[in-house]
Amino acid sequence: MASTRTQIGIVGAGPAGLLLSHLLAREGIESILVEDRSRTYVEERIRAGVLEQGTVDILNQTGLGERMNRESLIHDGIEIRFNGTGHRIDFPSLTGGKRIAVYGQHEVVKDLIAARLADGGVIHFEVSDVSVNDFTDTAPKIRYRKAGEGNEIACDFIAGCDGFHGICRPSIPEGILTAYDREYPFAWLGILAESTPAAEELIYTHTDRGFALLSMRSPTLSRLYLQCNPEDDIARWPDDRIWEELQRRTATADGAFRVPEGPILQKGITPMRSFVVEPMQHGRLYLAGDAAHIVPPTGAKGMNLAVADVRTLTTALVAFYKNGDVTRLGEYSARCLRRVWKAQRFSWWMTTMLHLNRADSPFDRRRQIAELDYVTSSETAMRSLAENYVGLPFDDPVAVN
Ligand code: FAD
Ligand code: PHB
């Protein structure tokens, strides 16, 4: 078995693993990444689209802003539409000037991979049989196969950045982690369409046919979502049905609004779930991003949380390598979880406020409309939504140079 050594062994080349490797390299800390998919696959996987102000800031501060600043769409607000009427939530005026950026997760991933490779970073794509070993003593190892050959990476710490379905979390012995889980009786049918975005900003709509979200990736690419059943089969959603349902769920009372249609390039159904494990660490294995927690996408928090985790992990690893200080490593889980639970709360709240739950009683339906009415008419309520949507402030300085 071929063996190499590094300081941090990272499993997963999604936003969490790649950004961690990038931030560590800037601090002079070495890492090696292993990823079971191909480079093309991870660079083309369409997922998140909204970057919080703090995510934009960290990408800018660490030399990753060049293409993002040119190609991202900066949004000053969102629209919430119900009863056929739209209501705008203006972020800068409610949050002291904060905004969000619409820039696809796969674009962030492309920028990160390019930066790592340009800096001499090591990413092993298309590996198999990945395992994490000996992380409860001081010499953890990642083992994997590449082109049939067995390999081992000896390291000081392992970062489990392998997403919700990865192997790191399940490698932690039973009885250590507590999982907090909630499933929702709905899923999202998402499409990527070659069509002009319906509006300059995102539109979240609630109707008695269900929820819809009109988002985008560029001035010519729309990203559109419909609430559907988790058991729904994509084969039952031909393109015509998708467009008709989008038109119905986004119609305004005056009948003037139309979603511009175009060829559908991709479609898929994603179930919705809230999930957290505590703690986010065992021995020398640290979980970050979706490996430790997932949120329903309504609050646009998943990728931003992954970024926040690796920011916290970087600070802790820098304190360890520069000063031999293990305090921050010991606090890693608790520091991350404070933010994670607030993002869980916000994502759950946005989800339950905006989706149609067919099991709701007539009382709950009226309460839901009252909530939408309140959140779009009270400045106090709008400020709370805006503060969470643009991203809560960090309580510690960023470890960047
Ligand atoms: P991932 O991106 O899942 O990366 C994990 C990586 O590990 C993958 O590359 C995977 O291939 C690899 N891997 C898995 N198993 C192994 C293994 N055994 N060995 C090696 N490698 C492995 N978030 C937002 O912030 N804003 C949004 O607007 C938003 N919208 C979303 C819309 C949809 C439809 C979906 C599905 C998600 C959305 N999210 C959003 C969530 C966001 O995409 C995730 O939270 C984000 O991808 C988490 O990043 P990660 O690096 O932790 O995990
Ligand atoms: C997206 O553009 O993919 C997107 C935007 C906002 C969300 C979720 C997804 O809340």
Side-chain angles (χ1 to χ4, degrees):
M1 185 183 298
S3 187
T4 43
R5 219 206 109 68
T6 190
Q7 289 173 299
I8 315 298
I10 303 176
V11 185
L18 287 164
L19 182 63
L20 177 64
S21 178
H22 174 76
L23 296 178
L24 291 173
R26 292 178 62 86
E27 297 288 343
I29 301 171
E30 275 179 21
S31 63
I32 296 179
L33 275 148
V34 293
E35 163 62 51
D36 64 357
R37 301 289 191 159
S38 69
R39 177 175 177 183
T40 313
Y41 183 91
V42 298
E43 288 190 341
E44 287 175 6
R45 184 168 45 195
I46 304 288
R47 280 189 167 177
V50 172
L51 308 187
E52 291 177 356
Q53 178 85 58
T55 300
V56 171
D57 292 346
I58 196 166
L59 297 178
N60 268 321
Q61 288 160 7
T62 62
L64 291 163
E66 205 260 323
R67 197 166 67 96
M68 175 180 72
N69 291 328
R70 224 175 335 113
E71 295 182 13
S72 68
L73 309 167
I74 303 300
H75 286 192
D76 280 357
I78 54 169
E79 181 182 317
I80 293 189
R81 189 176 289 182
F82 65 101
N83 286 343
T85 306
H87 307 265
R88 186 164 180 276
I89 314 275
D90 184 80
F91 296 148
S93 66
L94 293 161
T95 63
K98 292 187 182 164
R99 306 177 149 78
I100 53 146
V102 174
Y103 189 59
Q105 174 171 325
H106 65 293
E107 306 294 356
V108 176
V109 164
K110 274 186 216 162
D111 295 345
L112 278 163
I113 291 175
R116 283 313 294 125
L117 297 181
D119 288 349
V122 182
I123 310 173
H124 297 298
F125 288 102
E126 294 180 84
V127 303
S128 61
D129 302 321
V130 178
S131 65
V132 287
N133 309 273
D134 305 331
F135 48 83
T136 48
D137 69 36
T138 52
K141 285 147 208 111
I142 297 175
R143 298 201 182 98
Y144 64 96
R145 299 190 79 76
K146 169 103 188 173
E149 299 278 311
N151 291 273
E152 180 179 276
I153 302 169
C155 50
D156 300 332
F157 299 95
I158 298 175
C161 302
D162 52 348
F164 185 62
H165 300 289
I167 53 96
C168 289
R169 190 183 65 250
S171 302
I172 295 176
E174 204 148 317
I176 304 284
L177 304 180
T178 305
Y180 300 87
D181 202 359
R182 182 186 191 113
E183 285 186 32
Y184 297 83
F186 16 83
W188 277 15
L189 187 167
I191 64 164
L192 186 71
E194 218 170 74
S195 59
T196 315
E200 294 210 336
E201 295 174 343
L202 274 59
I203 302 177
Y204 290 80
T205 73
H206 169 84
T207 71
D208 57 14
R209 300 181 67 84
F211 164 82
L213 167 61
L214 307 181
S215 181
M216 66 207 67
R217 286 294 175 273
S218 76
T220 53
L221 272 184
S222 297
R223 180 76 170 141
L224 310 168
Y225 297 99
L226 285 170
Q227 173 187 348
C228 66
N229 291 323
E231 311 76 42
D232 236 326
D233 180 354
I234 195 73
R236 296 214 312 258
W237 285 90
D239 295 6
D240 287 354
R241 182 178 173 208
I242 295 176
W243 288 118
E244 190 188 321
E245 197 58 33
L246 280 165
Q247 301 298 0
R248 287 183 171 208
R249 293 193 197 177
T250 56
T252 45
D254 62 6
F257 184 85
R258 292 283 299 169
V259 184
E261 300 182 10
I264 296 181
L265 307 176
Q266 271 191 31
K267 55 178 157 179
I269 291 180
T270 317
M272 293 181 116
R273 189 168 194 173
S274 303
F275 177 89
V276 184
V277 286
E278 293 188 4
M280 288 170 53
Q281 167 259 340
H282 181 56
R284 288 183 168 231
L285 172 60
Y286 290 78
L287 303 175
D290 278 19
H293 42 71
I294 51 172
V295 286
T298 328
K301 288 284 158 258
M303 178 174 52
N304 293 296
L305 275 184
V307 168
D309 287 352
V310 299
R311 187 181 182 280
T312 303
L313 187 53
T314 302
T315 312
L317 289 168
V318 168
F320 175 79
Y321 283 109
K322 300 247 156 105
N323 310 316
D325 180 0
V326 293
T327 322
R328 282 288 188 140
L329 282 170
E331 292 171 356
Y332 169 73
S333 180
R335 280 182 183 269
C336 290
L337 286 166
R338 266 190 87 196
R339 187 176 190 86
V340 166
W341 276 111
K342 285 181 208 142
Q344 289 288 356
R345 183 208 69 81
F346 178 66
S347 305
W348 162 85
W349 173 73
M350 285 284 278
T351 302
T352 47
M353 175 172 73
L354 284 160
H355 288 70
L356 177 74
N357 187 344
R358 293 192 189 277
D360 270 356
S361 65
F363 174 89
D364 284 327
R365 289 286 296 132
R366 278 169 175 68
R367 183 200 46 73
Q368 184 178 21
I369 298 297
E371 178 134 32
L372 286 161
D373 187 6
Y374 176 60
V375 86
T376 52
S377 57
S378 151
E379 189 177 314
T380 308
M382 278 192 263
R383 194 184 304 283
S384 169
L385 190 159
E387 179 187 35
N388 282 277
Y389 199 98
V390 300
L392 292 172
F394 287 98
D395 58 7
D396 54 348
V398 63
V400 291
N401 60 32

